Amino acid sequence: MATGKKLVIVESPTKMKSIQGYLGDEYEVLSSVGHIRDLASKKDIPADKKTAYGKYSIDIDNDFDPYYVVNDRKTKTVAELKRALKTADEVLLATDEDREGEAIAWHLLEVLKPKVPVHRMVFHEITKDAIRAAVENTRELDLALVDAQETRRVLDRLYGWDVSPVLWRKVGSGREGAALSAGRVQSAATRMVVDRERERMAFVTAGYWDVQALAVKAAESFTTRLARLDGAPVARGTDFDDRGQLKKVVVVLDEAKARALAAAIEGVGEASVTALESKPGTRSPKAPFTTSTLQQEAGRKLSMSAKHAMSVAQRLYEKGFITYMRTDSVALSTQAITAAREQAVSLYGEQAVPLNPRVYRSNSKNAQEAHEAIRPSGEQFRTPASVSGELDRDEERMYDLIWKRTVASQMADAKYETTTVTLAVDAPVDGAVQRAEFTASGTVYTFKGFLEAYEEGRDEKRSDADKTDDQSLPLLAVGDALRLERIEPKDHATTPKPRYTEASLVKALEEKGIGRPSTFASIIDVILDRGYVTKRGQALVPSWLAFSVVRLLEEHFADLIDYDFTAGLEDDLDAIARGEQQRTAWLREFYFGSDAQPGLRNIVENLGEIDARELNATRISDTITLRFGKYGPYLDVIDPADPDAPPRRVNIPEELAPDELTPEKAQELIDAPVAGNRVLGENPENGKLVVVKDGRFGPYVEETEPEDPTVVDEATGEIVEEAPKKKPASKTAAASKTSTAKKDAAPKPRTASLFKSMSVDTIDLGTALRLLELPRTVGIDPESGEPITAQNGRYGPYLKKGADSRTLDNEQLIFDIDLEQALAIYALPKYGARRASSALAEFDDDPVSGKPIRVRDGRFGAYVTDGETNVTIPRGQTVDDITYEIAVQMIAEKRAKGPAPKRTPARKATNARKASAKK
C-alpha cells in the first residue's frame, strides 16, 4: 500500500541531506550516485547479440542502437531505488539540468520502469526557495537533450574504439602502448599543445638593444625607454616575426651602437619634454563566471587545476553556496542582479553601481543549456567573511572568487587617464649629432569603480617583455628640462609563444569551439594521465609520445583531428539538442560518410601501410634522429665515419622539453661521458668488481667477476674495453654441455638500486658496498626474538620483523636507524608510525554505518574509512582537501559500488534500448 511519499532521485549523495530537509517527511530523497548504466563491455554482451553488438556494444546497422547494462557497482543502488519506488506514488527526477543530467534521468526511467507519475524537477541552486519552486514547476523529460548526450556517447565509442587500436600497434606497445587512446576532443587538445611546442621549436630568436634612463624632476623620477632615433622607431620584440626577421623598417641597435649612444647621452646629462599626451579611458567589468571562465580564473588566481576547480565548485553547489557550476551562460536573474547591486552599494557606496543594471548575454547557441551564470546562491548574497567558518580553505577561496566576480559585474566602470611623455636629447655619436627620443607612460585611475571589488587575471603573452609597468609621472610641461640618470644599454631577445597552461588551454578550446566547457577538466586530466602532457610549473609540456600520436593522426586521420571539423561536431550536437537534427541520420553520415566527408569507417579501412619506425622518428640533424621506443625517447646517432655501422643509442633526460632538444643540445648529450658502467673499485671481501650502471629502471650498482683483459680508464673509472667473450669449440660440444650448464649456472650477480638522493656520478665504493649488503639487520626484538631488518622496496624504505612491516620516513634511515628507534616505531599503531594517532584526520560518524570517519595512511597512499568501507583519496587531491561532506560522499559512492566483481560468467544484461521506448 502506498504511503503517499514522493520519491526524489538526485545524482549526488551530498545533495540528499539538504534537499530532504527542505522538502520534509512527505518526500524520500535518494541518490543514483551518477550514471547507473552505460554501454556494455564486450564480455557482457550475450552470445545471441554478439553479431549485432559485439564490436562496439552498438548495432551500427540498426540505427546505431546502443546496448546498455547496469554497472556492476550500481546494482545495490538500483535495488535501493526499486525498493523505494514500491511505496512511492510519484517520482521526481532531480538530476542536473544539462545533457548529462537529462541522460541520467532517462536511464533511471528506463531501468526503474515506474508505474506512477514521473516528473522532471530542475533547479540551479540548492536553497529552500529554489527546491520548493522546482517541486511546484516540474516539466517533462527533454528527449532532444537525451538524444544529444547519447549521440555524443556513441560518437566517442566509435571514434575511440576504431582509432585507439591503431595507436597501440603503431606508436606504442607493452606497458606504454596499453595506455594510449584517441578521443574526439582529447586528440584535438593534445594536438594544440603539440602545435604550440612545434612553434617554439621552429622559433628563431632575434636579438636587439635599446637604452633606458631614469628621468628626474626635482625629487620625483620615472623610467623612460628609447623609442626613436633621428625620427625612426627603435626595434621592439613585436617588430620581429617567428623566424627572427623584421616585419617593418626600424632601427636595430647592436651592442656597440647602444653603448656608444648611452655614453653620449650620459655626457649630455639632460633631456627636454617635447610632447605630452593625455587620454581618458574606461574599463568595464567582466561578465559573471561561466564554467570555462571559472576554470581559467581558478588557474590564474588560485593555482588550481581545472579538475580541482570543478571539484571545489561542485562541493560549493551541493552545499548550497553557489548556483549550478556547469553553464555556458553569463546572464544573471533579476534577483541576482538586485542582490549584487545592493551588496556593492553597502560595501562601496552609492556611486559604486551604474544607474541601470548591467545585462550580459551568452554567445551559446544551445539555449537549453544556457542557464544562469555561476554566482552566490540565494536572494541575498552571503559575504565571504560570513561563510568562512562553514567552508574548507579551497572552498572559501573559490567562494570569495565567485562572490567578487558577481558583485563586480554589476558595478560601475573604472575611469582612468593615461599620460605619455616624450623626452628628447641631442647626443654626439661618432662625430654626428643624433636626436634620441625617450618615452614613458603613466596611468592614474580617477575612479576605481568595479576594481574596488575585483580585477580579472591575465595569461602570459610574449609581448610582455616590451611593456613597462605603469608608473606615476610628475607634473610636467612641454619645454621642461629633466636630468637623466642611470643611463643603461639593455640587451633583449625575442621569445616564442608561451606554452599553454590549463587556464589558457581551456580558453583556447572554448575559442575554437572544441568540446564543452563542462568536459574541459576531464579532457586535460586524460591527456595528463596518458602521458601526452606533463606539467612544468603551470606550463603544459608535450611528451615525445604526444608528437608520435599527433603525427599519426595528422597523416592518417586528418579530418578527424582538424580543429574546424571537431568544432563542427559540437555545433551538430548542439543542433541535435535543439531538435534541429536527427541523431540516427547524423551518426550514419559521420560513420559511413557522405559526399561531404569520407566517414570514420572508410578512413579506418583504407589506412594503407603505416611505417611505425618513421612515425616515431624526429630528425634533429643529418646524423641524429630522435626515436620513441617501447621504453621512451632516445637518440639514434649515426657515425659519419662509418654510416653503415649500427647507430649508437643515447638516452634523453626526462626533464628535457622537446623545444630544448636543439642540434647543439643533442650533440652535448652525445659527447657527455657515459655515467653508467663506471667501476667503483673491488669488494675486499670477495675480490669482485663493483660497477655502477644506469639501467632501464634507474641507476644501480652490481658486483661483477673481473675478466681480463678489461681496460679501465684510470681517470674516470669508465670501462673502455670489454673482455672478449669465449666461444664454444663447436656446436656439438656446446650442445653436449647444455644440461650440465643449466645445473651449474653461476648465481646471478648481486645488485642494488641507488637511493633517490644518490647519483651515478658521485656514488663511491663504500656507499655501493653498503647498498649491496641490504637488507641490513638492525637488531633482535627482545620480546619475540625475531630480527628487525631495514630495507628498500617498491613503495619505499621500511622495517620488517617477520610478517610485520613499518614504513620509514626516508631512505637514509635504512643505514642510520638503531634498534631502540626501530622498537619505538613498532610500539606505535600499525599505520601512521610516528603520529600520536594513526589517523591523519578524524570526522564525525558516517550517517549510514554510524562509525567515525577517519583518513589514514596506507600502503597505497592516504584513504578514507569508516571502519567498513575504504576509499583511496584520488590523484590530485590531498588529505587537506578532504572535508566531512566529501568523505561521506566518497564512502557512499564506494559502498554503492559494492565489492570488486568476481570473475564469474557474464551476468544478465539489461535489454538493449528499444527505439520506441524513447521515441
Side-chain angles (χ1 to χ4, degrees), residues 818-896:
D818 58 27
L819 180 59
E820 183 180 353
Q821 293 169 325
L823 292 174
I825 291 175
Y826 273 103
L828 292 172
K830 170 72 174 177
Y831 298 105
R834 277 181 267 285
R835 285 180 289 271
S837 167
S838 60
L840 303 177
E842 298 189 16
F843 301 107
D844 293 337
D845 294 348
D846 180 79
V848 176
S849 68
K851 296 182 179 181
I853 297 176
R854 294 185 174 90
V855 180
R856 297 185 181 277
D857 192 11
R859 180 181 180 186
F860 302 103
Y863 65 97
V864 177
T865 180
D866 66 344
E868 295 180 356
T869 305
N870 301 335
V871 194
T872 301
I873 294 177
R875 181 174 65 86
Q877 282 188 285
T878 66
V879 175
D880 293 336
D881 295 330
I882 305 301
T883 62
Y884 173 70
E885 290 79 8
I886 296 173
V888 169
Q889 181 173 349
M890 291 172 66
I891 291 173
E893 292 176 353
K894 180 65 178 290
R895 187 185 292 119

Side-chain angles (χ1 to χ4, degrees), residues 576-611:
I576 294 172
R578 296 191 300 269
E580 298 169 4
Q581 287 198 37
Q582 293 300 311
R583 163 190 174 277
T584 302
W586 187 88
L587 282 170
R588 186 179 294 114
E589 180 177 354
F590 169 79
Y591 189 71
F592 292 109
S594 66
D595 293 338
Q597 55 104 1
L600 177 63
R601 183 172 184 172
N602 292 327
I603 294 173
V604 172
E605 290 180 351
N606 295 281
L607 285 176
E609 291 297 320
I610 298 177
D611 188 336

